[in-house]
Amino acid sequence: MRRALAVAVIMTVVGAPVVARAQSKADAARADAAFTEGKHLLEHGSEAEACARFAESKRLAPAIGVTLYLADCYQRLGKTASAWTEFRSAEALARAHKDKRAELAHLRAQALQAQLARITVRVAASVSSADVTLDGLPLAVDAWGTPMPVDPGDHVVIAHSGPKHREFTVHVDADRPTATVDVDSLDEPAAAPAEPPATPSAASDSAPVPAETPTPSDSASDSTRLWASVGLLGLGVVGVGLGSVFGVKAISDRNASNAGPCNAADQCSAHGLSLRDDAINEARVSTVAFVVGAAGLGASAVVMFVLPRRQQGSVAVSAAPIPGGAAALVRTSF
């Protein structure tokens, strides 16, 4: 399936210049107007409307710049899978045109990969002839059993064969980033029989159950957990905030270099080269900040909800270089 997706992306990118040349002047004008309107909406905090305008502009005139804007817009809305897909599309398009923005798109996509929510649809052999869709889109047989990146939220899986039809609703978010749907039958499961109400016994009526009183050691442990979780949460928020600031600055410097100091043939003045170097460095800082921020948020959740309540734990977050970027190492003991 991954090979098929890769082939599809390459064919789309290679064919893009031909499509662009065949576009009418009216389509180009509408694409430019939609892009300008999208930037205006983004500057005024209307991310959802801005994303819609960027998507329309890309549909009319696919290009590297509008694809990067659309990806960044989706990321602001929390649509991590959509943003990741658009950053990868921008990278493929940039590499096909030998555009240096491919590195920026690659770094932004890599920073999002660890945050992706995924849904796995497993189909039993007994119903392997069924047609399966995920959020209304056909799910190829090759994709069955493969974790599919999706945006956080509710998703619907439908399996049908002839008159039989079965629907599954599944939710993924930061607290539950993965989910699995098992299509083992097209028959709706029978409702569980209602349990009879419990009859209170005489002993329960006469003897109230004493409430459990937390010991001082439990209270101290909970306080430590709370402060550790708050500290890691603060680290996560700062990291994501810095990542966003440097990411936007990197895009701004790249666009500034393309607005005059560098021409269409990637010939740049000294000022243009300086802007592009700044953009690459800012993108790297953005990647590190995003990774550390995501690790801080995840570690905060681990400390608060996963570590045993009566065991003291320690969590440490540190940055570490990896090929093409950076990662965050989270160490915990309990």
Side-chain angles (χ1 to χ4, degrees), residues 22-47:
Q23 288 167 347
S24 67
K25 292 182 179 179
D27 283 347
R30 286 197 296 270
D32 185 63
F35 180 70
T36 302
E37 184 180 354
K39 290 199 295 184
H40 177 76
L41 289 167
L42 196 62
E43 291 171 358
H44 289 78
S46 300
E47 285 89 356

Side-chain angles (χ1 to χ4, degrees), residues 185-204:
S185 170
L186 297 184
D187 297 321
E188 291 293 338
E195 295 184 1
T199 303
S201 63
S204 64

Side-chain angles (χ1 to χ4, degrees), residues 55 125 150 157 186 194 262 304:
V150 293
V157 174
L186 297 184
C262 297
M304 194 64 191

Side-chain angles (χ1 to χ4, degrees), residues 66-296:
V66 69
T67 305
L68 285 171
Y69 265 92
L70 178 59
D72 183 71
C73 190
Y74 280 148
Q75 185 172 353
R76 296 185 189 209
L77 287 179
K79 295 184 175 183
T80 49
S82 296
W84 176 75
T85 299
E86 293 299 334
F87 277 128
R88 293 187 65 194
S89 175
E91 179 187 358
L93 192 59
R95 294 199 189 283
H97 288 80
K98 294 183 169 56
D99 191 294
K100 294 182 179 179
R101 283 175 288 183
E103 179 66 17
L104 172 62
H106 174 76
L107 290 173
R108 295 293 297 273
Q110 188 178 51
L112 283 173
Q113 185 138 8
Q115 306 174 35
L116 293 178
R118 301 175 188 271
I119 292 177
T120 302
V121 179
R122 298 188 301 200
V123 182
S126 58
V127 290
S128 60
S129 61
D131 294 322
V132 181
T133 62
L134 173 60
D135 295 331
L137 298 177
L139 193 62
V141 175
D142 290 343
W144 295 355
T146 301
M148 305 295 294
V150 293
D151 292 327
D154 292 326
H155 298 272
V156 177
V157 174
I158 297 177
H160 64 89
S161 178
K164 290 189 174 183
H165 169 280
R166 190 171 178 189
E167 182 174 314
F168 305 81
T169 300
V170 62
H171 180 85
V172 289
D173 54 29
D175 295 327
R176 188 193 178 192
T178 60
T180 300
V181 175
D182 285 312
V183 184
D184 52 5
S185 170
L186 297 184
D187 297 321
E188 291 293 338
E195 295 184 1
T199 303
S201 63
S204 64
D205 291 341
S206 60
V209 179
E212 182 180 349
T213 303
T215 64
S217 60
D218 289 342
S219 300
S221 176
D222 288 344
S223 177
T224 302
R225 288 159 58 89
L226 175 62
W227 284 110
S229 178
V230 169
L232 290 168
L233 178 63
L235 173 65
V237 171
V238 171
V240 172
L242 286 175
S244 299
V245 170
F246 278 95
V248 172
K249 186 65 170 61
I251 293 176
S252 175
D253 285 344
R254 172 64 64 172
N255 291 339
S257 71
N258 292 333
C262 297
N263 58 26
D266 280 335
Q267 296 176 339
C268 301
S269 64
H271 179 56
L273 290 174
S274 176
L275 285 172
R276 291 198 170 183
D277 287 341
D278 289 345
I280 292 175
N281 291 331
E282 288 158 356
R284 289 172 177 165
V285 173
S286 174
T287 300
V288 174
F290 270 121
V291 171
V292 173

